[in-house]
Amino acid sequence: MSKQIQFTQTGSPDVLHIVDVPVAAPKANEVQIQMQALGLNRAEMMYREGAYVIEPVFPATMGYEGAGVVTAIGDGVSEFKIGDKVSVIPSFMFTEYGTYGEVVNMPAHAVVKHPDNLTMEQAAASWMMFVTAYGGLIEFGKVQKGDFVVLGGATSSVGLAAIQIAKMKGATVIALSRSHAKGDVLLEKGADFVVATQEDDVSAKLWEITGGKGVNVVFDPVGGKEAAKIINAMAQDGKYIIYGALSHDDIAVPVFPILSKHLTVRGYELFEITTVPEKLAQAKKFVFDGLASGQLQPEIDKIFAFDDIADAHRYMESNAQIGKILVRL
C-alpha cells in the first residue's frame, strides 16, 4: 500500500486528501519509484480547480514532477536498475500517471537519472523548469549570443531557469515583473534589466534598453493585452513565444509590427519536447550537462511536508514564491 493524494471534486486546496491505495507492479515500459520529493506545478492547481486542458476522472490524482529511487522495473526497461536515483519529466496526462504518492509507477520515457551532485529536493526542482525553458529558448527560440531576450513571469521557476539558460547562451536578459518589488531579486538571479509591467512604459523601456534595436526573443507565460506593448518593441525577425495564459485574456497582437518586421508569434507546450523522443533526448542531455557542471542551478523557494499538501497549494496560489515549491516525503 502507498499513501496517495487524491481529490473527488474540483475546488480549493481543501478538496485534496491523503488515502491509502494498492500499488501494482510496474507494467511493460514502466518504472516504479519510491518518491522522496515532489515539485509543484501550476498545471496541478488548474487541474484541481477543473480549469485544465483535461477534465479530472474521479477519484483523481496528479503530479508532473518529482525525484526518488527506483524500486522495480517493468518488462522492456533496460536503461534503469533498482536503486537508481531518478527524476520525473512531465510527458504524460494526469489521467494516466501522477507523482503525488509515496510509491508510483511512471512511463520509462518520463524518467531520467539525475547528476550525483544534486540532492533529491534539487532534482525534483530541476527538470520541468529547465526542460521547459530549453524548449522555448533553445529548440524554438534559437537564442544566440548578443540577443535581447524578454522573460515574462520571471520570478516563476521556469522564469528563473530561463534566465540561466539565456545567460549561458550570451544573451542580454530583460526580466518582466508586475512591480519593481522583486526587481533586486531578479537582478541577483542573473537578469540584466527588470521592467515592471504595471509601473513602467514597457515599450519605451524595451527600446531604451536595446538601444533602439528591439527585442529578439520573448518567452512569456502571461500573454493578454499587455503582449502588444512587448511586440511593438521587437526586432526584425523576432520571435514571441507564449507558453501560458496567466492573464486569462486573449493575447493582443498588433498586425503592423508583425507584417513589417516578419515576426513569429507561436504557442509552445512542454509536450512538444517531451513527447518527441529525439527532442527529449537532446533536452535531457542539455539539462543533465548543465546541472552536472553547475551552470544550471535549481531555485527552491519553500518545502512543505506531504501531509501539508493543501497548504502547499495555497502558497502556490498566493504567487509569493520565487522559485520552486516542493513537497518532501
Side-chain angles (χ1 to χ4, degrees), residues 7-329:
F7 61 107
T8 55
Q9 61 180 346
T10 58
S12 74
D14 293 328
V15 303
L16 300 174
H17 55 277
I18 298 174
V19 299
D20 290 314
V21 298
V23 180
K27 300 175 183 177
N29 301 312
E30 287 185 342
V31 176
Q32 189 171 92
I33 305 171
Q34 176 84 45
M35 302 301 295
Q36 295 190 13
L38 309 176
L40 298 197
N41 191 299
R42 287 194 177 276
E44 294 150 11
M45 183 176 70
M46 295 171 67
Y47 186 61
R48 187 204 73 226
E49 294 172 339
Y52 194 46
V53 294
I54 55 172
E55 293 292 325
V57 177
F58 300 121
T61 189
M62 57 185 159
Y64 270 144
E65 306 169 61
V69 177
V70 174
T71 54
I73 55 175
D75 291 341
V77 177
S78 59
E79 62 268 44
F80 302 104
K81 65 181 185 300
I82 293 174
D84 281 346
K85 296 178 181 179
V86 296
S87 303
V88 177
I89 300 175
S91 55
F92 47 83
M93 288 295 174
F94 293 142
T95 49
E96 302 171 309
Y97 298 94
T99 60
Y100 275 26
E102 291 178 319
V103 179
V104 300
N105 293 321
M106 285 284 130
H109 67 81
V111 179
V112 60
K113 295 177 186 177
H114 56 248
D116 291 336
N117 60 318
L118 299 185
T119 65
M120 284 293 180
E121 288 81 7
Q122 289 173 321
S126 293
W127 290 88
M128 184 286 295
M129 67 187 209
F130 284 121
V131 172
T132 300
Y134 164 88
L137 295 177
I138 306 301
E139 178 70 29
F140 298 114
K142 308 296 184 187
V143 171
Q144 304 291 322
K145 183 177 181 180
D147 280 352
F148 289 96
V149 175
V150 165
L151 302 177
T155 55
S156 69
S157 60
V158 174
L160 295 174
I163 291 174
Q164 294 183 39
I165 289 176
K167 294 300 292 183
M168 279 179 64
K169 299 299 290 185
T172 296
V173 172
I174 306 166
L176 301 185
S177 186
R178 283 177 291 184
S179 73
H180 280 291
K182 296 180 179 179
D184 289 345
V185 173
L186 288 167
L187 293 173
E188 290 172 7
K189 299 301 182 183
D192 297 291
F193 300 92
V194 176
V195 174
T197 57
Q198 294 179 352
E199 298 173 3
D200 295 328
D201 182 331
V202 175
S203 294
K205 287 294 290 184
L206 294 179
W207 283 122
E208 176 188 337
I209 290 168
T210 63
K213 296 177 181 179
V215 175
N216 304 100
V217 179
V218 179
F219 188 52
D220 183 26
V222 180
K225 298 174 182 177
E226 298 297 312
K229 298 177 182 178
I230 305 171
I231 292 172
N232 280 326
M234 292 187 70
Q236 195 76 17
D237 299 315
K239 303 178 185 71
Y240 182 103
I241 298 169
I242 183 165
Y243 67 100
L246 295 181
S247 79
H248 300 294
D249 291 328
D250 286 340
I251 186 172
V253 182
V255 66
F256 288 112
I258 290 177
L259 288 173
S260 62
K261 297 179 184 177
H262 311 149
L263 303 181
T264 297
V265 178
R266 84 177 311 276
Y268 160 63
E269 290 183 305
L270 175 60
F271 286 172
E272 292 185 73
I273 300 296
T274 59
T275 59
V276 180
E278 305 86 28
K279 290 181 180 179
L280 179 56
Q282 292 169 353
K284 284 180 177 179
K285 184 179 187 312
F286 180 94
V287 174
F288 186 97
D289 291 347
L291 291 170
S293 69
Q295 288 182 287
L296 299 180
Q297 298 183 355
E299 296 283 352
I300 297 172
D301 180 273
K302 193 171 183 179
I303 301 176
F304 289 81
F306 189 69
D307 290 345
D308 296 330
I309 185 64
D311 288 337
H313 269 240
R314 290 188 193 97
Y315 183 64
M316 181 165 53
E317 290 179 338
S318 76
N319 294 317
Q321 71 273 18
I322 298 176
K324 200 69 178 170
I325 303 169
L326 299 181
V327 171
R328 181 187 290 128
L329 287 85

